[in-house]
Amino acid sequence: MLRPSRTLPADGPVLDLLAPRVADVGMAVARLLPSARRRAIGPWVFVDHFGPVSTEAPIEVPPHPHTGLSTVTWLFEGSGFHRDSLGSAQALRVGEVAWMTAGHGIAHSEVMPAGRLHGVQLWVALPPDQRDRPPSFEHHADLPAFAVPGAEGTVFAGSLGGVTAPVTTHTPLVGADLRIEGEAVFPTDPTWEHGLLGVEGQVTVDGPVPSGHLAYLGVGRPWVRIRGSGRVILLGGPPYPEPLLLWWNFVVGDASALERARSDWDAHSPRFGPVAHPGPASRLEAPPLPR
Ligand code: MN
């Protein structure tokens, strides 16, 4: 049976560059988390970076389930359309956040039209006492933009330097899209872990953070100083408080909860519910559980 992964934080500031690996989600994407060396950065447990590409056909992710986490797709270019088993049907544009909290269970689908596409898909593990909360979905088109010396940006989840996103989250965290030009210093909580995804250009934090790489910055930083010219995603939060069990699309508390989530999806249980996804009926089937 699958063993939970320890997600121990570093005991101080570090610069550990996590290289992308190719994953297939209906298109080739660069997966940064989970990685062999690191399972999480604070509550952030999944980071996929897709594009920039020009696609010739729509990208379709058919209905599939989630438990125990929140998902967010954050676009730099392109657009998407989200549908879920709560009845949500929501267009997603650049600069908007669609925040889906699975809790005990939800199913959803996503479609990205043909054309330019560039963005990230991120997951946040719910804290243990919120893992089985009712599912919910929020969309926000009006997010706080800010400018400081050397940078401008948008906070799309949690708080950074007193700028707070209107998204309902169940654990302290930060998710921010930053454009750096020169040198910028961001106040951070030294008890939190932080990470920086290089999106475009050339920036350094202690050392270079190449585009397409995820720098794990450890804990113990009262500020994060970023230099250079480029675009980055800053992620952070308190280290996850217990060993993390993430398998396929599920964050769960133990192996029996994982087996139950998988068999409930197999059995078309109302726990996940139908998604009004257009076109031929299709759904993603769960892979076999590891032995
Ligand atoms: Mn999903």
Side-chain angles (χ1 to χ4, degrees), residues 10-190:
D11 56 7
V14 298
L15 178 66
D16 185 19
L17 277 183
L18 306 174
R21 66 192 160 88
V22 177
D24 185 353
V25 296
M27 65 184 293
V29 300
R31 182 151 301 159
L32 285 311
L33 276 187
S35 81
R37 283 213 299 280
R38 179 136 297 275
R39 313 301 295 184
I41 297 177
W44 300 94
V45 295
F46 184 91
V47 175
D48 267 1
H49 181 197
F50 49 89
V53 298
S54 293
T55 62
E56 312 232 314
I59 306 292
E60 185 177 351
V61 184
H64 59 279
H66 286 286
T67 66
L69 52 78
S70 300
T71 70
V72 58
T73 299
W74 179 254
L75 296 172
F76 309 117
E77 285 184 272
S79 65
F81 203 91
H82 163 98
R83 291 179 182 84
D84 66 41
S85 50
L86 298 172
S88 313
Q90 179 63 56
L92 181 62
R93 290 165 285 262
V94 171
E96 302 179 352
V97 71
W99 189 270
M100 186 184 80
T101 294
H104 184 60
I106 199 168
H108 75 141
S109 73
E110 283 180 294
V111 179
M112 320 276 197
R116 293 291 293 172
L117 186 60
H118 188 196
V120 288
Q121 158 96 191
L122 310 168
W123 298 355
V124 172
L126 287 165
D129 65 349
Q130 298 293 318
R131 209 175 265 144
D132 284 313
R133 62 174 296 107
S136 59
F137 175 79
E138 285 182 18
H139 171 258
H140 297 273
D142 196 10
L143 294 171
F146 66 90
V148 296
E152 55 182 35
T154 304
V155 180
F156 59 82
S159 292
L160 178 64
V163 179
T164 300
V167 179
T168 307
T169 55
H170 303 286
T171 188
L173 54 80
V174 59
D177 182 357
L178 306 174
R179 273 91 61 199
I180 308 296
E181 203 59 58
E183 175 180 304
V185 179
F186 300 94
T188 48
D189 186 325

Side-chain angles (χ1 to χ4, degrees), residues 183-257:
E183 175 180 304
V185 179
F186 300 94
T188 48
D189 186 325
T191 66
W192 288 15
E193 293 179 288
H194 289 90
L196 203 65
L197 173 68
V199 176
E200 289 169 354
Q202 285 289 340
V203 303
T204 65
V205 176
D206 303 346
V209 180
S211 290
H213 285 60
L214 179 63
Y216 173 64
L217 303 178
V219 296
R221 292 178 187 264
W223 62 81
V224 171
R225 184 194 312 270
I226 311 173
R227 296 186 175 94
S229 174
R231 187 172 196 169
V232 294
I233 295 285
L234 176 68
L235 302 174
Y240 199 66
E242 61 178 45
L244 178 73
L245 187 41
L246 164 66
W247 178 84
W248 195 43
N249 297 315
F250 304 130
V251 169
V252 291
D254 56 35
S256 68

